[in-house]
Every structure is written in C-alpha cells, then in structure tokens.
Amino acid sequence: MTISTMRLTGVAAACALISTQAVASDSSLTNPAISAVLDGYYQSAERPMSERVEGFGLGHTEVAMSANIDDMFYGKLTAVVEMHDGETELGLEEAFIQTLAMPAGFSVRAGRFLSDIGYLNNQHVHTDAFSDRPAVYRAFLGSHYFDDGVRLNYVAPTDLYWTMGVEAFKGDKMRAADEHGERDYKNLGVYTAFTKLGGDVGANGSWQAGLSYLRNENGRMTADEHEHVEVQADHGHDHSHSAQYTGENTYVGDFVYKWAPNGNYKYQHLTLSGEYFRVTDFKPLEEHDDHDSHGDEGKDYQEGWYLSSVYQFSPHWSAGLRYGQVDTQMMHGDHFDPQKLKETEVSLAWHHSHFSTVRLQYTNQQGTNFDGIEDDNVITLQYVMTLGAHGAHQF
C-alpha cells in the first residue's frame, strides 16, 4: 500500500468516524425513548362507566416509544394493555408524527393521538391524581378521547402563553347508537376547536384557562335507538373507550392554578382545577320539537363538571379531594328520563420517586336513576410504576 493510498484510507476512516459520532451525539435519533407504565389495582365495588372492575385488575398499562425522526419530524407510538372479562387486550392509543420546524408558531400532528380539548384529555391517565377520570369525562369522552385524525396548532408570540388549534377526526368512538346497523355515519365525524391562555402569578403561582368546542356529526340519536341505549346503560364498566352519551355539540370550559414555593414543584405544590361540559342536540330530529312527548320538559342538553384540589405536602406524600357530577338523559320509549351521578373522592398517595406511586382512594357515589347505580362507597388501592425514559408531563 502506497503512502497516498494510506492517507486516503485514513481520511475516509476519519470521515466515517466523524459521521458516526455526529449521529450518535443526537440521542433522539439513535436511542428512542422507550418506557412502560405498570398500573395495577384492587377495587371494592363497581363504578359506572369505568374501565376498572370490582376486585383485582390490570389498569391502564402502557408501552411507549418516541423519538425525533429527523430535524423536521417527531414520532410517538403508545400501546395499551388492559384486562376485560378475563382476557388480555392490546390496543393502540397513539401513533402519530408531528412537525418540528414549521414557521410562525405553527405545528401539525397527524395519525392517532389524544385530542387537545379540555384540560385533562391530552394527558395520559397514569398522570392523574385519582384512579379514574371524573364522571363527566367517562360519560362524554369515553374517559379520554383519542382518535385518528389531524391537528393544526398555533402558539402566538405574546407575553402570555396563548395557543389555539383545530382538529378533524374519524369519530368512531363518538357515534350515537345504531340499533339496527342501518345508519349512514359520516366517515369524518368529529371536528374540534380550542384556545388556551396561561401565565404566572408572582414567583409562586401559574395558571391556565381554556375554551373548547367539539362538533360531532354522528352524535344525534335517531327515534328507533332507544332499546339499544337502554341495554348499553345497564353495564357498569366499558372497555371500548367510547362516549356513553353523545350529542352534536359539546362545549368545554377549563381552568387550572398551580402553586409551589418559588416555582419548585419537587418538595411541595398545590393544584386546583375544574372543567365544565355541556352537550346539546342529542335528541332525534323528528321528535326534537315535540316537547309534549317527553317527560323532561323539552330540556335539550346534558352537562357535567368537576372541581379538584391536590396538595403535595411533602416530597413523598400528596392528598387529593375531588367532587364532580354529571346530568344526562336516557331515552325510554317516547320520552327521556333525567339521570344524575355525583362523586366525592378523597385520595392519599405515596411517591417514593417521580416514577413510583401507591394510591389509596375512597369514593362516595350517589346515583339518581343513573345506569342502575345506587349509592355506594368504593375503596381503591392502586400502584402506578414507570420504567425507562419518560418525558415531562403537561402543565
């Protein structure tokens, strides 16, 4: 081998090494973040519209992988493992790509993902301070609404945090019942629009408020679906992640305030949050104006809300208090019967670290003609453990 050949070989090797080192330095390209969340529980009684059943069970256990695809795109995949009637079910909750370098504060997300309406919905359920989502979420969004679609988001260049966005989804999980399998559903069924504002309150506090709208093209019932709806309402839990009560229009208002000494959430913090839902235009069109045929005085909306307070009083302990209720209407023959569910929940959680939580929760549920649920007290013991790399949670 000549000296010139040796020099060329050395240069090629150096270039290859530099190229390899450059790629390896970007860990998001060579080492995707892979994590698993283990959720197990014991629950003393049934809860309406809940994915958790009485006794021992496997909750919202997930395996996730995410990484920057390149300098233009980010991708994430989240699979969920759950138990239903003694069988292990595997579902796909997220599989999306998102732009990283669009100009002027815009971004696009496409695939399967959590809708950004409301406050809780865009967060994974294992981040909650309670074992289940509030009753209003379980009734109107199937606990947490994820779907196949696309989102356009914009963050404004303002002193206050201000974001807004629109989404379009397939909408299968938000369809009203179809007893006879003859209904012609629209393939593009759900559209949403939302805006959120946020800022700081001194050195210790921060807040965020939002308004959201969801248009459900397949949300209105038809006159011949009452028998199916009655049967659907008889079960206490649901693993389809589908909305139990639908309508054409859903309006959501949400607010959250967080406090921590000097903004340091590690040792002590307080979170106050609440949301209000109003669902309208759910009655069959042919009976919509015939108020005399219904026992509900023509009321054409369903609603629900919750208020939550969670206080982490030491690095390893937190306590939560949440009250919520949902008012729905169930179609029986030629009329609608009003229903109400009230839930008061108290939780105490021990966190050995950011990755491990053991929670004890007491729930008092009071139902008025609601899915056959009578007043009851429910005790839940739950663990949530995170393995591997896990990104920061949303505000």
Side-chain angles (χ1 to χ4, degrees):
M1 180 179 293
T2 65
I3 294 177
S4 60
T5 302
M6 292 176 62
R7 287 175 178 171
L8 289 173
T9 303
V11 171
C15 290
L17 178 62
I18 292 172
S19 176
T20 301
Q21 289 176 338
V23 173
S25 65
D26 189 346
S27 60
S28 66
L29 296 177
T30 58
N31 298 307
I34 300 175
S35 66
V37 178
L38 308 180
D39 179 351
Y41 68 91
Y42 171 81
Q43 188 165 278
S44 64
E46 290 275 331
R47 297 187 64 185
M49 306 174 294
S50 174
E51 298 166 17
R52 301 181 190 274
V53 298
E54 183 178 354
F56 289 102
L58 183 65
H60 198 80
T61 296
E62 67 178 45
V63 179
M65 180 174 64
S66 63
N68 288 354
I69 298 168
D70 50 33
D71 61 336
M72 296 290 292
F73 297 98
Y74 165 85
K76 185 174 184 180
L77 177 72
T78 304
V80 177
V81 181
E82 293 177 303
M83 295 294 295
H84 184 211
D85 292 336
E87 299 292 331
T88 302
E89 297 180 349
L90 178 64
L92 193 61
E93 185 172 282
E94 293 178 310
F96 66 83
I97 60 170
Q98 180 164 326
T99 60
L100 296 175
M102 288 185 67
F106 286 95
S107 65
V108 173
R109 178 174 294 191
R112 178 172 296 181
F113 53 90
L114 295 164
S115 172
D116 208 5
I117 62 170
Y119 172 60
L120 284 178
N121 195 74
N122 66 358
Q123 305 179 43
H124 290 274
V125 295
H126 69 261
T127 67
D128 292 0
F130 300 88
S131 63
D132 265 318
R133 284 280 157 95
V136 63
Y137 264 80
R138 307 197 309 268
F140 299 143
L141 293 179
S143 183
H144 56 299
Y145 176 49
F146 59 92
D147 207 343
D148 301 336
V150 62
R151 173 195 300 161
L152 175 64
N153 201 77
Y154 171 69
V155 179
T158 54
D159 292 336
L160 287 177
Y161 170 72
W162 184 18
T163 183
M164 59 197 79
V166 292
E167 301 169 324
F169 292 110
K170 189 175 180 180
D172 289 357
K173 301 178 186 299
M174 300 294 287
R175 291 176 174 177
D178 180 16
E179 179 186 358
H180 304 292
E182 299 174 350
R183 185 165 178 173
D184 186 16
Y185 289 114
K186 293 185 179 180
N187 292 326
L188 192 58
V190 169
Y191 303 89
T192 76
F194 57 85
T195 184
K196 300 178 182 182
L197 287 167
D200 295 329
V201 182
N204 302 323
S206 55
W207 62 274
Q208 179 179 284
L211 292 173
S212 306
Y213 169 70
L214 184 149
R215 173 67 179 183
N216 186 357
E217 296 291 341
N218 300 313
R220 189 186 289 272
M221 291 187 290
T222 60
D224 59 353
E225 290 165 357
H226 59 92
E227 293 181 6
H228 177 83
V229 175
E230 289 176 4
V231 172
Q232 183 187 49
D234 284 339
H235 60 71
H237 55 275
D238 172 60
H239 284 253
S240 66
H241 300 287
S242 298
Q244 299 293 295
Y245 301 90
T246 62
E248 287 188 347
N249 302 294
T250 300
Y251 306 90
V252 186
D254 62 87
F255 180 81
V256 59
Y257 171 78
K258 295 189 176 184
W259 171 89
N262 298 315
N264 185 353
Y265 286 81
K266 182 177 181 180
Y267 301 106
Q268 185 183 19
H269 66 262
L270 171 70
T271 300
L272 304 174
S273 61
E275 295 185 69
Y276 171 78
F277 284 67
R278 189 182 184 99
V279 179
T280 69
D281 303 303
F282 61 92
K283 296 180 180 179
L285 278 174
E286 53 269 40
E287 299 183 6
H288 178 62
D289 296 323
D290 185 11
H291 300 330
D292 294 335
S293 65
H294 305 299
D296 56 11
E297 300 180 353
K299 183 179 177 182
D300 195 22
Y301 67 88
Q302 306 177 94
E303 62 183 341
W305 57 275
Y306 75 88
L307 289 174
S308 171
S309 173
V310 180
Y311 179 46
Q312 181 173 314
F313 52 88
S314 78
H316 300 301
W317 290 93
S318 66
L321 174 64
R322 186 172 72 187
Y323 175 82
Q325 68 180 52
V326 61
D327 295 84
T328 62
Q329 297 185 55
M330 182 59 62
M331 191 174 185
H332 290 137
D334 61 351
H335 67 281
F336 283 86
D337 290 337
Q339 303 180 122
K340 184 186 292 288
L341 176 66
K342 299 178 181 180
E343 292 182 333
T344 303
E345 299 166 279
V346 180
S347 72
L348 179 66
W350 175 68
H351 321 270
H352 181 64
S353 70
H354 180 69
F355 301 96
S356 61
T357 298
V358 177
R359 176 178 295 114
L360 178 64
Q361 179 174 311
Y362 164 76
T363 302
N364 174 259
Q365 58 187 25
Q366 299 180 3
T368 303
N369 302 322
F370 197 94
D371 293 6
I373 296 296
E374 298 180 354
D375 298 356
D376 203 356
N377 298 308
V378 182
I379 300 295
T380 305
L381 181 62
Q382 177 194 23
Y383 66 79
V384 180
M385 305 285 170
T386 302
L387 293 72
H390 197 73
H393 296 158
Q394 307 230 7
F395 179 81

